[in-house]
Amino acid sequence: MIKFLDLQKINLQYQNEIEAKLLNVFRSGWYLMGTELSNFEKNLSDYIGSKHAIGVANGLDALRLILRAYIELGVMNVGDEIIVPSNTYIASILAISDNGLVPVLVEPEINTYNIDISKIEEHISPKTKGVLIVHLQGRIVFSNELQELAQKHNLKIIEDNAQTIGAEWNGIKSGNLGDAAGFSFYPGKNLGALGDAGAVTTNDDELAKAIRALANYGSNQKYVNIYQGLNSRLDEIQAAVLDVKLKYIDSENHVRREIANKLVNEITNPKIILPEIPANGNEHVWHVFVIRTEKRDELQAYLTENRIQTIIHYPIPPHKQQAYKEWNDLSFPISEKIHNEVLSLPISPVMEEKEIEEIIRIMNAY
């Protein structure tokens, strides 16, 4: 069986370094808000190029905390609108509605699966205060047009950077393109922890200070609470693991790009719609390799029979989820087409050449 993602094999590459770090944490007797966290935050901010990096409990909290901080700072108010792509993972939308803000869904481009920037302005109203862009599947979505639009309408650009660490636009890394960015280090991400973990990056001093306090029970001084905060802290164990793996993210992303190029060039089956490779290869880090076909379920069954694991990212669009039943009658045809047709093939930095060749052979024989 060709696994969709062999996390054990990925992490065992760094076994000695990770085990040494974990042993140090265990022996230190200090498990929260210590040197491992501060080291990782510094190294992450240096890598991204941002002034601040704040470790938090998970990717959803990272986005929740950004929006909550904007509310506490008076930049946004409950009831304000945030534009978000209609085909994102539900976490992007949960972060908005959880703060009493209103998600405004915008269709993606069919070729990139990212939000269609040309459609954003028609959805802007007097209550719009931000655009939450999602760099989906590992590909950056950004442009001069988006920057100009944000300036024109005084909008915050918030990046959902859960899937795109290491990608670059015009030499700037994702996570440092907008006003703030949320990261997920869920184990299956390109930079994955050994459990849930996340971070926020920003160049805004006030925002960073507010997020740090909000994530720590609303406190920046022990037993003094300035906000009604929450507990969303990145622990020393996960910070230590991530600090080890951060050193290797560029080399791992390079391998992912090589695999993606090979798959795109050598899968020639006309029934398969392959992902688009951007002209600037640095804009994509291939968190997942997503193909489309009208007979997705049939193809997935065929691949399973041929011992190739696949995953559907994602089978149900947000506006068709029971959690947002008030949207169930809305129509987003491009999103619906994407959700009905996409299938993710295996891609990872530890795949063997024979596995890649087998995927190509089986796909072309379909």
Side-chain angles (χ1 to χ4, degrees):
M1 172 69 75
I2 300 175
K3 293 183 179 180
F4 179 75
L5 187 63
D6 193 336
L7 289 178
Q8 185 181 40
K9 192 173 181 180
I10 288 173
N11 288 318
L12 283 175
Q13 297 176 101
Y14 316 119
Q15 179 176 350
N16 292 340
E17 287 183 79
I18 289 173
E19 286 182 351
K21 281 270 198 175
L22 294 179
L23 186 59
N24 285 341
V25 173
F26 172 68
R27 287 175 172 170
S28 74
W30 195 285
Y31 308 122
L32 283 170
M33 312 286 280
T35 56
E36 294 295 346
L37 175 61
S38 59
N39 287 343
F40 174 64
E41 287 179 338
K42 181 184 184 306
N43 291 332
L44 180 63
S45 65
D46 287 347
Y47 177 76
I48 297 299
S50 62
K51 191 172 181 181
H52 302 279
I54 303 135
V56 298
N58 55 68
L60 172 56
D61 276 5
L63 297 175
R64 288 170 66 209
L65 286 160
I66 291 167
L67 294 169
R68 173 71 183 282
Y70 277 134
I71 291 171
E72 294 290 352
L73 294 172
V75 176
M76 298 177 183
N77 294 292
V78 171
D80 284 340
E81 296 173 352
I82 305 294
I83 288 171
V84 64
S86 55
N87 66 315
T88 184
Y89 181 57
I90 196 103
S92 313
I93 294 168
L94 290 172
I96 299 170
S97 58
D98 184 63
N99 278 290
L101 300 166
V102 180
V104 176
L105 307 182
V106 174
E107 287 266 58
E109 294 180 325
I110 190 65
N111 293 326
T112 67
Y113 309 121
N114 277 326
I115 192 168
D116 189 336
I117 292 173
S118 70
K119 293 179 178 177
I120 289 176
E121 190 161 29
E122 65 192 71
H123 291 84
I124 294 173
S125 80
K127 293 187 75 65
T128 308
K129 294 296 174 66
V131 180
L132 200 165
I133 56 173
V134 182
H135 305 304
L136 200 63
Q137 300 171 4
R139 180 169 183 168
I140 279 182
V141 53
F142 206 74
S143 69
N144 292 323
E145 178 190 354
L146 177 61
Q147 288 180 308
E148 291 164 5
L149 201 60
Q151 291 169 359
K152 176 182 175 182
H153 296 279
N154 194 27
L155 306 178
K156 296 296 184 184
I157 298 176
I158 301 152
E159 298 174 73
D160 183 336
N161 201 43
Q163 301 184 11
T164 319
I165 186 168
E168 294 182 0
W169 178 82
N170 286 357
I172 303 169
K173 282 192 168 63
S174 63
N176 199 29
L177 292 166
D179 295 283
F183 291 70
S184 168
F185 304 121
Y186 177 80
K189 303 300 186 187
N190 289 33
L191 179 62
L194 300 186
D196 276 320
V200 173
T201 55
T202 184
N203 295 309
D204 185 328
D205 294 341
E206 273 193 272
L207 186 71
K209 186 177 179 181
I211 289 170
R212 282 197 183 279
L214 284 164
N216 186 36
Y217 298 94
S219 172
N220 54 22
Q221 180 183 344
K222 196 166 186 178
Y223 302 130
V224 178
N225 302 81
I226 54 177
Y227 305 116
Q228 295 178 22
L230 58 148
N231 175 11
S232 182
R233 300 177 297 197
L234 180 61
D235 67 66
E236 288 288 278
I237 289 174
Q238 301 302 343
V241 171
L242 290 166
D243 205 34
V244 169
K245 296 179 71 177
L246 180 61
K247 295 182 294 186
Y248 303 101
I249 189 64
D250 285 341
S251 59
E252 289 199 357
N253 284 342
H254 176 72
V255 174
R256 287 174 179 272
R257 289 185 180 115
E258 288 189 328
I259 295 170
N261 285 331
K262 186 175 179 66
L263 292 174
V264 168
N265 289 326
E266 297 187 24
I267 294 175
T268 56
N269 191 325
K271 296 186 176 75
I272 307 301
I273 299 170
L274 294 163
E276 180 183 272
I277 295 179
N280 180 349
N282 290 336
E283 291 183 8
H284 211 319
V285 294
W286 301 97
H287 169 57
V288 286
F289 186 92
V290 178
I291 59 95
R292 284 186 14 245
T293 179
E294 291 182 357
K295 296 184 177 180
R296 187 261 309 285
D297 294 343
E298 178 185 282
L299 174 59
Q300 186 174 42
Y302 163 80
L303 291 170
T304 300
E305 288 170 9
N306 284 277
R307 299 179 57 76
I308 298 172
Q309 283 186 339
T310 58
I311 293 180
I312 299 170
H313 293 100
Y314 306 98
I316 305 172
H319 69 283
K320 295 298 183 183
Q321 297 283 0
Q322 176 64 22
Y324 292 97
K325 55 183 180 293
E326 66 273 21
W327 294 343
N328 287 175
D329 292 332
L330 298 179
S331 175
F332 292 92
I334 297 173
S335 286
E336 289 161 23
K337 181 177 181 62
I338 289 170
H339 286 268
N340 287 333
E341 294 181 358
V342 291
L343 187 66
S344 298
L345 303 183
I347 187 169
S348 87
V350 295
M351 286 181 70
E352 298 178 13
E353 185 69 23
K354 63 182 180 182
E355 293 177 317
I356 301 166
E357 295 287 354
E358 180 68 358
I359 290 169
I360 293 166
R361 185 185 71 80
I362 295 297
M363 289 293 289
N364 285 335
Y366 170 65

